[in-house]
Amino acid sequence: MASPANEISINLKADDKKQTLAVHMACSLLPELDGGLEYTLGQETTLPAPWNCKSVINKTGDNTYVETVTYDDGTVFTHASTNTGHSSTTVTSGKDGYIGKVYLEKVAPCVTGFYVMEKSENLEKMMAEDSGMSLADATKLCSSLALRITKCGDYYTMTDYLGSSSKSLTYKLGEEFAVKDEQLGLAGTNLMVETAPGHYVLTYKDDKGKCSIWEATLTEDELTWKVTKPLNTQTCSLVYRKYPDCFGTWKTIMTNNVSAAVSTTGLPKEVCDAFENDRATHKISYLGDGKIQWDTDGIYKADCGPIIYRSGEEFSYTMQGKHVTEVVCMTKEGMVGSSKIDNMVNNFKAKIGKTFMVMETCVEGRPDTKATVIAAKMD
């Protein structure tokens, strides 16, 4: 546990409203210790093996916690933790004057990815005031918001999807860049800086000298924006849910047992084998307004051409003359879904990384049809 080669990561998530603290720990050399618990502040929590102890955590300040741990043999340790924007320091005290210290450096979650807005507060009113558009037009633009952040070298590109329209900014942290958007009434200079791991500040000054400040907090799951200095009088806040970036061009590089799954549809053997040997290129695009487009140059191509769908909504198409009903849902790791052809239901899940996408499928009730498809990102 104390080996210098053992990389320990701890994820903390405090909920002041619920008075809870969720803790998840991972150890590179001791994966059997990986796991997490949610503590209710001030209440005793029993930790299972291998810890075999009881713990009580109290919040003693804005950024400080004290944990008292009692083991089955009566040994008691006290852990006092102080958290800042950059680090966490824990001082442990025990019997016979024992004092130990642990220093953790805060690591920023990866900012690149795809984000879908889950909730906002006062965004429409602020947009209407700052841009001069009507409240009705602002409400329409804000009806479906998404955000995609990509990185190339030292430069980031942030694409905002407002309804069916999109707008992109390319910038380097700490360097000023010009912005001009007639629809949103923007004409001036932006500056994006990272003030602490997972904390960003976007400062804007328009050509008339007025300024606004947007502050962002990033976690593994969410991106929260808050306007802390409004351009005029209205402020707003937005919360986005984070998903892996599935958009771009992918190429199938490996398949296993796909023909077995396809054979349950009644298609001829030569067609099933063609699915197994398919090494197609697939393009996934976000069209705005929640719409995702999937296209391919291979045997999976739908009879109607590119397929357009929304996460969580049922859609239908024909492929190889077969009527397919399907639903796909975005997840934290990638996507899950089900498709139905006649009375056959095929369930699938995909894990999406920066370079590879791994999809596993299986016909319901037929474990012998479990199949794997691996695709590589090409752009």
Side-chain angles (χ1 to χ4, degrees), residues 171-178 189-192:
Y171 58 91
K172 184 178 181 180
L173 291 176
E175 290 189 3
E176 298 179 4
F177 59 99
T189 303
N190 274 344
L191 175 68
M192 180 83 77

Side-chain angles (χ1 to χ4, degrees), residues 9 17 25 33 47 52 57 103 109 111 166 178 195 273 342 355:
S9 61
K17 186 175 181 180
M25 183 179 74
L33 298 183
L47 278 68
N52 297 320
I57 299 178
Y103 176 81
V111 71
S166 63
T195 58
D273 290 343
D342 298 327
T355 306

